[in-house]
Amino acid sequence: MTDLFSPFDLSGLHLPNRVFMPPLTRSRGPENAATEQVALYYAQRATAGLIISEGSPISIEGQGYFYNPGIFTPEQVAGWRLVTDSVHSVGGRMFIQLWHVGRISHMSIQPNGTAPVSSTDRTAEGSMAFGRDDSGQIGFVPASRPRALATDEIARVVADFVQAARNAMEAGFDGVELHAANGYLFDQFLNPLINDRSDRYGAATMEGRLRFTLEVVDAVGKVIGPAKLGIRLTPYGVIGSVPMFEDAEETYVALGKALGERGIAYFHVMDQTGFFNTPAGQKPTSDAIKDLLITWRSVAPITAILLDGGLTKARANELIANGVIDLAGFGQAYIANPDLVARLRNDWPLNPADRATYYTGGAKGYVDYPPYRPAALARSV
């Protein structure tokens, strides 16, 4: 029976198992570039079938957090090269997640203190960036009011994604993932309750709301090949000040069909059911996502499906065995368990994650989680 520990061919990339490490923001790049410590962190977790890096900003404009390793300067490319060399040296496989936060940023992060950019000029109420407060201290601050991109500026943002993808290939990644989830820039174009534009990128039509995403996919796919391209989506998600909208299913089916026609490597979906309460009267989010994934199988049959968010080993194996998904991700478990594949395979207990050290910098709570030591081995030492 196919399960978490069965191999998988991801558009020509051989994966020894179906466990993947999802993107996890850790704020460990003191100069906004990956370091030797970042390389160690990922190499420790290289038994995953696939690692997807933390979100890596494609430009200063696309950045919403200090200390996140970007992919737009030579120093950042060199830092990521150290990471991929380390991961590959121990047999791992790694995609980079390309990130533009859009309106979920702060003027203190933006070049020359300008406003963040988005599809709209409306503030992401309730969302936080990791910038400087009025006293100059770095921490979580409310997102600043954005500026709506002019129509003729959007091509520049698309070009930034293309250059970031080129940089990622130079840095040695096996592929790239577009972060089109969690209320960031792609969501700001896809969602008709955020996107209030009246130009050809406006959300009043299905073609308009999908246009930005498909332009980026086409442009990046042209330079690195669609087999090296994945996309992260959060259908029915509300993280990042994203409101639910009535024709979400229709929108994501149409997007899935269009992406399937382009032959990209995978869809990566985060189930946010465990993060927020589903609005009253709504179908439970996990059920709605499962139905959508089954539909995507019919409209994009060659595109792999990755799922994370609240999964257990039993649930992951059930979804894989039934053909609903191909790979299963375990986010918080990977923070605290570098040897997660072995722990899952052997039903060994998991280390608990220390939430207080998620974004604090330094080695504590980052590279100091121990691997599991069976009792017999521990007694012999």
Side-chain angles (χ1 to χ4, degrees), residues 1 15 20 37 42 53 64 67 84 113 118 124 127 134 163 181 192 196 230 261 267 273 277 302 314 317 322 348 367:
M1 182 181 73
L15 311 183
F20 75 92
Q37 189 177 80
Y42 283 112
S53 83
Y67 309 142
T84 61
S118 177
S127 286
D134 292 341
Q163 185 58 53
D196 55 359
E261 290 169 351
F267 305 127
T273 303
N277 292 328
I302 68 169
N317 276 332
N322 292 334
W348 292 336
V367 295

Side-chain angles (χ1 to χ4, degrees), residues 14-233:
H14 174 74
L15 311 183
N17 60 69
R18 295 169 183 247
V19 179
F20 75 92
M21 178 181 173
L24 298 162
T25 299
R26 302 305 309 277
S27 299
R28 282 341 199 258
E31 302 296 330
N32 296 326
T35 63
E36 291 181 357
Q37 189 177 80
V38 176
L40 173 60
Y41 168 76
Y42 283 112
Q44 287 175 334
R45 291 153 177 80
T47 54
L50 178 68
I51 293 174
I52 305 171
S53 83
E54 62 209 275
S56 186
I58 63 167
S59 62
I60 297 178
E61 178 187 81
Q63 192 162 336
Y65 296 77
F66 283 125
Y67 309 142
N68 273 81
I71 189 67
F72 54 91
T73 71
E75 294 78 15
Q76 291 169 341
V77 172
W80 278 124
R81 184 81 214 196
L82 179 62
V83 173
T84 61
D85 283 349
S86 299
V87 169
H88 290 151
S89 73
V90 290
R93 298 135 301 274
M94 189 171 185
F95 274 43
I96 187 173
Q97 187 185 71
L98 301 184
W99 197 13
H100 192 306
V101 302
R103 67 179 185 161
I104 306 182
S105 188
H106 189 263
M107 293 172 64
S108 64
I109 306 168
Q110 294 293 307
N112 303 314
T114 56
V117 300
S118 177
S119 64
T120 180
D121 65 357
R122 293 183 293 182
T123 304
E125 299 290 350
S127 286
M128 308 294 281
F130 195 65
R132 294 185 187 277
D133 62 20
D134 292 341
S135 66
Q137 296 298 308
I138 292 178
F140 285 102
V141 291
S144 299
R145 182 177 179 178
R147 164 180 80 77
L149 286 159
T151 304
D152 59 4
E153 285 185 280
I154 293 176
R156 172 183 58 76
V157 178
V158 174
D160 286 343
F161 275 100
V162 170
Q163 185 58 53
R166 288 195 177 103
N167 292 346
M169 294 298 100
E170 182 182 343
F173 285 97
D174 297 299
V176 307
E177 174 181 288
L178 302 177
H179 194 349
N182 292 356
Y184 297 119
L185 186 61
F186 289 91
D187 259 345
Q188 293 160 32
F189 279 93
L190 283 167
N191 191 303
L193 300 184
I194 299 175
N195 182 351
D196 55 359
R197 305 177 70 89
S198 59
D199 62 4
R200 66 180 184 271
Y201 294 94
T205 67
M206 190 64 69
E207 182 180 20
R209 73 180 64 164
L210 301 186
R211 188 183 303 278
F212 174 72
T213 300
L214 296 180
E215 285 187 354
V216 175
V217 168
D218 287 341
V220 171
K222 184 176 181 180
V223 298
I224 68 169
K228 294 182 181 294
L229 177 60
I231 189 168
R232 192 185 206 196
L233 301 164

Side-chain angles (χ1 to χ4, degrees), residues 238 244 276-285:
V238 293
M244 293 275 193
F276 289 89
N277 292 328
T278 303
Q282 291 281 345
K283 188 176 185 179
T285 307

